[in-house]
Amino acid sequence: MRYSLLHQPHQFSPSNPSRPFSIITYNNSLIAFFDHLLQQCKTIHQLKQVHNQLIVTGANASAFLAARVLSIYARFGRLFDARNVFETTPFDCKSSSLLWNSIVRVNVSNGLYENALKLYVKMRKLGVLGDGFTFPLVIRACKFMGSFRFRFSFGQIVHNHVLQMGVQGNVHIVNELIGMYAKMGQMSDSFKLFDKLRVKNYISWNMMFSGFALNFDCDGALELFKRMELEGLEPNFVTWTSLLSSHARCGRLEETMDLFDMMRKRGIEVGAEAIAVVLSVCADLAADHMGKVLHGFVIKGGFEDYLFVKNALICVYGKRGDVKEAQNLFSEIEEKNIVSWNALITSYAEAGLCDEAVEVFSQLEKLDGGSMERPNVISWSAVIGAFASNGRGEEALDLFRKMQLAKVVANYVTISGLLSVCAESAALNIGREIHGHVVRVSMNKNILVENGLLNMYMKCGCLEEGHLVFEQIEKKDLITWNSMISGYGMNGLGGNALATFEEMIEAGFKPDGVTFVAVLSACSHAGLVNEGRRIVDMMVREFRIEPQMEHYACMVDLLGRAGLLQEASDIVKNMPMEPNAYVWGTLLNSCRMHKNTDVAEAMASQIFGLITETTGSYMLLSNIYAASGRWEDAAKVRISAKTKGLKKVAGQSWIEVKRKIHMFSSGNSLQSDLKNVCEVLEELALQMENKGYVPDNDIILWEMMGKKNGRN
């Protein structure tokens, strides 16, 4: 959309014969009479009757009455009739900014921002200049227009018109300019306008606070808050709400709660908007007690009828896993909007209840034709993410295909979830297809998507492609570096992982606990014992990070793989917390690798005392006994596991063939192609033998009773 606004406007003037200046002057009492009738109209039928009388009497040539009629049509939702009144009003009336202001206001109020700007252009071409009522409306339309480039260029043109008209001191106009520049992320321009404003009202201050909140600048908001108090102005509830919002959007959750407490102690009125902000913080903080307290506050304060408050409450209970209460709150809402539906879908999704999430999603899809609510990108992303994070990758991909058929455009959250599915199932071809889609829709510069692509390629073993993605990420974050280090580690390139770790520190990033798990794991897989010891020392001494369970497990694995079983055992014994099943399992696996029954037997009592639901450590110990020919001890361990009702986790593998993932699980026979699979396995086994592979027969199930079998 292009507009030419830089021309010199053609003024209406009696001396200009091409623009006759002849407005009929009506008796003021007649205008007042019709104005009174119009304001009494309660139905569209009454309005049309009065409108007809205006036309019959010729009073429709009054700009004041024409403006009143079109505004009332708009109030009844009859935008076509409102536009028709404007178009059919005598030309002489259009020399008045009053009529133009009314039609521009109608369009802005109904979100028709492009139409409003077109009207402004037309108005200027006819020589009607804006006034103190026109500019706030036009600036607001600029603020909500599409592309940044258009908003910025058109907004600056309108700002120039304000300066040309000499109304830059009008507080209402400047307030809208402050909001417009803030919406564009130009807070420096907003601040300049704010500082130049001689007389500021509460809207001026609150526009600035809203701008800081919108631009994730809670520090700027807090500084302005202090300045406001120093200048003797008492912040009102709108100011406080914006301050809360700025801190919540910046992730300063604890500070948001502190500000809310301060707000209440000062006796500031707490509105529904402030409650909604604090509820969202409670959801992110998982502050169960505070969530219940606020729910009580909502009931006592009479905020239950506010839909956005009810939606926020659903999110609070959903985040804490209380899906039953979330469902109850959802059921209480008579007129649900899409946010209500998405809040409940997300509640089930985050609780891992995929089928329940899909059930609610299906209900949303099946709403009757009278409802405007349909699943949007948030709805689809929630259910896709639920399946992706709960190991049901194939179903997540199926949902994505349905989403595409429904013509819903995926966002970065959707894509990130799908990439995690591809990474976990090594579905490289599907991952590459998604990468292509990401590039086509210009989403490849979103850090969440970039990190997802990096993780996917590294976990699929495509190190060159992963490194290329890494190099192309302009604004790397800690997750980017961690993914790269972890990727090198899992592919056995410990040296590359360490080099990347050093590069990360040189780039000014401070490693966290996840970083050190990735580096230690890389050292373990590559057998870099000394480097691993150095990394642990650096973690504790230089970065003041206390080792957690995962770090101890990595060190035990590192030492155990290197055959330093006694040192690994000493670390386990001296841990400041109780070792979990994973740590014991890691040490046991090292004992199995190095055929060390002594260290394994010394751990037997601790293993039997583990609180676990699976047989992992028991089976390792049993197999170690079996490898040493101690069949009775092996049997006792297995009987102990069976007596405790422990379950063995079935082994799984998968392969991607023709864009479909095929999963194999021990204990489950294939429904089809079993014969073909077995033939391929036999052929592979023969090829392995021909290449000189010698099967490891030391670890034999105790049921084999010592019988050796070269190929099974």
Side-chain angles (χ1 to χ4, degrees):
M1 181 173 62
R2 292 185 178 180
Y3 302 113
S4 176
L5 292 178
L6 300 179
H7 66 282
Q8 291 295 322
H10 195 134
Q11 298 280 356
F12 278 94
S13 171
S15 61
N16 184 356
S18 65
R19 291 275 192 254
F21 189 83
S22 55
I23 298 178
I24 301 171
T25 304
Y26 290 96
N27 185 290
N28 286 339
S29 60
L30 182 64
I31 292 176
F33 170 73
F34 275 118
D35 183 42
H36 175 74
L37 283 180
L38 286 167
Q39 292 187 61
Q40 297 302 308
C41 292
K42 304 297 181 186
T43 65
I44 190 67
H45 177 67
Q46 292 173 346
L47 175 60
K48 284 186 175 292
Q49 284 183 318
V50 178
H51 187 195
N52 286 335
Q53 287 300 312
L54 286 172
I55 295 170
V56 169
T57 60
N60 64 322
S62 162
F64 174 80
L65 290 176
R68 179 74 78 187
V69 170
L70 72 85
S71 67
I72 298 175
Y73 269 122
R75 194 177 71 201
F76 282 117
R78 304 292 287 262
L79 301 186
F80 175 80
D81 291 317
R83 283 194 292 268
N84 191 48
V85 170
F86 176 78
E87 295 296 338
T88 57
T89 298
F91 184 78
D92 287 349
C93 287
K94 293 177 181 176
S95 63
S96 165
S97 61
L98 175 65
L99 185 64
W100 288 97
N101 289 346
S102 293
I103 191 63
V104 170
R105 182 179 293 105
V106 165
N107 281 275
V108 172
S109 300
N110 287 276
L112 303 171
Y113 305 117
E114 186 174 341
N115 286 351
L117 296 181
K118 285 179 178 178
L119 283 164
Y120 177 67
V121 172
K122 187 176 180 181
M123 169 183 169
R124 298 262 316 167
K125 284 181 178 178
L126 290 175
V128 183
L129 304 180
D131 58 19
F133 295 98
T134 315
F135 287 119
L137 294 167
V138 176
I139 293 166
R140 200 175 308 158
C142 288
K143 185 165 63 176
F144 292 105
M145 277 301 294
S147 70
F148 170 81
R149 183 177 295 178
F150 175 80
R151 285 201 312 264
F152 189 71
S153 59
F154 202 106
Q156 285 192 315
I157 290 170
V158 176
H159 191 175
N160 286 333
H161 292 166
V162 169
L163 297 173
Q164 289 167 11
M165 292 291 292
V167 289
Q168 63 269 30
N170 184 307
V171 67
H172 304 295
I173 295 174
V174 176
N175 287 344
E176 289 296 337
L177 283 169
I178 289 170
M180 180 190 76
Y181 283 117
K183 177 84 173 175
M184 296 174 189
Q186 307 294 316
M187 281 304 293
S188 58
D189 291 327
S190 293
F191 216 96
K192 287 175 186 175
L193 287 164
F194 178 78
D195 274 341
K196 287 179 181 177
L197 198 58
R198 291 182 181 178
V199 180
K200 304 175 180 70
N201 59 17
Y202 270 104
I203 295 174
S204 313
W205 289 91
N206 291 335
M207 277 288 192
M208 286 297 296
F209 282 111
S210 297
F212 282 124
L214 193 65
N215 289 281
F216 301 90
D217 186 359
C218 57
D219 294 324
L222 196 58
E223 285 298 315
L224 187 69
F225 186 84
K226 292 174 183 176
R227 174 180 164 183
M228 187 179 189
E229 290 187 312
L230 285 172
E231 293 189 16
L233 246 72
E234 182 67 33
N236 62 14
F237 75 96
V238 177
T239 314
W240 279 95
T241 303
S242 295
L243 188 63
L244 291 171
S245 178
S246 66
H247 281 72
R249 287 170 66 87
C250 291
R252 304 270 190 89
L253 308 183
E254 297 286 356
E255 292 174 53
T256 307
M257 300 305 295
D258 291 341
L259 285 168
F260 180 66
D261 287 339
M262 189 189 303
M263 179 183 180
R264 294 181 64 191
K265 286 174 183 175
R266 290 195 185 184
I268 306 296
E269 176 190 356
V270 177
E273 293 80 4
I275 289 291
V277 171
V278 178
L279 282 170
S280 70
V281 170
C282 283
D284 291 334
L285 276 174
D288 294 353
H289 174 68
M290 193 59 194
K292 287 184 177 180
V293 170
L294 283 169
H295 193 175
F297 190 86
V298 166
I299 295 169
K300 289 178 183 177
F303 298 117
E304 284 186 296
D305 293 334
Y306 289 90
L307 183 57
F308 58 87
V309 172
K310 211 62 164 289
N311 291 340
L313 275 171
I314 294 172
C315 291
V316 169
Y317 284 103
K319 286 276 186 181
R320 55 181 281 199
D322 191 349
V323 290
K324 185 178 180 181
E325 185 60 32
Q327 177 69 63
N328 290 339
L329 287 164
F330 178 80
S331 301
E332 290 172 4
I333 302 173
E334 291 184 9
E335 294 187 12
K336 304 170 179 67
N337 62 8
I338 189 62
V339 179
S340 314
W341 285 95
N342 287 343
L344 187 62
I345 291 168
T346 304
S347 296
Y348 281 119
E350 291 184 346
L353 302 171
C354 305
D355 297 323
E356 289 81 354
V358 169
E359 175 59 31
V360 178
F361 180 87
S362 299
Q363 291 174 23
L364 176 59
E365 281 188 307
K366 294 173 185 175
L367 287 178
D368 59 65
S371 173
M372 297 296 291
E373 308 301 348
R374 287 292 179 270
N376 62 8
V377 64
I378 297 173
S379 323
W380 285 98
S381 297
V383 289
I384 289 171
F387 283 107
S389 58
N390 284 278
R392 297 169 68 173
E394 186 60 36
E395 290 164 280
L397 292 170
D398 286 341
L399 278 166
F400 177 60
R401 294 180 189 109
K402 290 177 182 177
M403 178 182 178
Q404 289 178 305
L405 291 173
K407 309 269 187 227
V408 177
V409 180
N411 64 9
Y412 61 89
V413 177
T414 325
I415 297 299
S416 176
L418 292 167
L419 287 171
S420 72
V421 170
C422 296
E424 295 306 318
S425 55
L428 179 59
N429 290 333
I430 298 175
R432 282 175 172 155
E433 285 184 26
I434 294 172
H435 191 174
H437 170 79
V438 162
V439 173
R440 285 194 300 274
V441 298
S442 302
M443 207 186 290
N444 54 317
K445 291 303 177 184
N446 179 281
I447 189 62
L448 194 63
V449 173
E450 289 175 314
N451 286 340
L453 286 167
L454 172 59
N455 181 53
M456 184 270 295
Y457 281 122
M458 296 306 280
K459 284 189 175 177
C460 289
C462 298
L463 304 187
E464 287 186 12
E465 288 171 274
H467 187 263
L468 182 62
V469 170
F470 176 78
E471 289 298 323
Q472 290 176 343
I473 299 176
E474 295 174 2
K475 295 182 179 179
K476 299 176 178 66
D477 62 9
L478 192 56
I479 296 172
T480 312
W481 290 99
N482 288 349
S483 298
M484 198 66 189
I485 294 166
S486 178
Y488 278 134
M490 70 178 64
N491 285 283
L493 300 175
N496 295 57
L498 285 169
T500 305
F501 175 70
E502 298 294 342
E503 186 183 345
M504 178 186 110
I505 294 173
E506 288 176 10
F509 284 86
K510 183 180 178 181
D512 62 0
V514 177
T515 314
F516 283 106
V517 168
V519 179
L520 288 171
S521 179
C523 291
S524 176
H525 284 94
L528 305 173
V529 178
N530 291 332
E531 288 82 352
R533 288 195 177 108
R534 180 178 64 84
I535 292 296
V536 171
D537 187 64
M538 181 189 295
M539 178 176 76
V540 176
R541 294 179 183 275
E542 186 175 338
F543 293 101
R544 306 292 182 189
I545 297 175
E546 287 297 319
Q548 300 301 311
M549 192 75 74
E550 297 82 1
H551 303 108
Y552 281 106
C554 287
M555 275 306 295
V556 169
D557 189 46
L558 172 65
L559 296 169
R561 285 174 183 264
L564 303 171
L565 296 174
Q566 192 56 55
E567 188 178 347
S569 179
D570 291 341
I571 285 179
V572 174
K573 290 175 184 176
N574 295 315
M575 283 173 61
M577 72 279 290
E578 191 68 28
N580 63 10
Y582 184 74
V583 174
W584 288 116
T586 302
L587 185 53
L588 272 174
N589 190 51
S590 298
C591 292
R592 178 192 65 79
M593 289 169 60
H594 296 283
K595 304 180 181 65
N596 191 318
T597 311
D598 295 334
V599 174
E601 196 163 23
M603 296 186 292
S605 60
Q606 285 91 345
I607 292 168
F608 292 141
L610 284 174
I611 299 173
T612 180
E613 296 180 356
T614 60
T615 61
S617 297
Y618 286 80
M619 295 304 102
L620 275 172
L621 183 57
S622 176
N623 284 339
I624 291 170
Y625 282 139
S628 302
R630 296 170 59 175
W631 307 106
E632 289 185 8
D633 291 329
K636 286 178 183 177
V637 173
R638 288 178 177 257
I639 291 169
S640 175
K642 188 174 182 180
T643 304
K644 291 182 179 181
L646 303 182
K647 298 177 182 178
K648 184 178 179 182
V649 178
Q652 287 186 327
S653 63
W654 52 85
I655 186 171
E656 180 194 354
V657 179
K658 295 182 179 179
R659 299 179 70 247
K660 186 172 179 63
I661 299 170
H662 300 268
M663 298 195 72
F664 303 86
S665 178
S666 61
N668 291 334
S669 59
L670 292 170
Q671 297 297 317
S672 60
D673 293 332
L674 178 59
K675 184 179 178 182
N676 291 337
V677 170
C678 290
E679 288 176 357
V680 172
L681 289 174
E682 289 287 338
E683 178 61 30
L684 287 172
L686 285 171
Q687 289 184 32
M688 288 164 66
E689 284 187 357
N690 291 335
K691 294 289 184 181
Y693 171 74
V694 179
D696 182 4
N697 290 322
D698 288 333
I699 305 302
I700 315 168
L701 295 178
W702 70 276
E703 294 95 339
M704 303 285 292
M705 297 302 290
K707 294 179 182 177
K708 302 279 186 175
N709 191 349
R711 190 178 74 229
N712 192 1

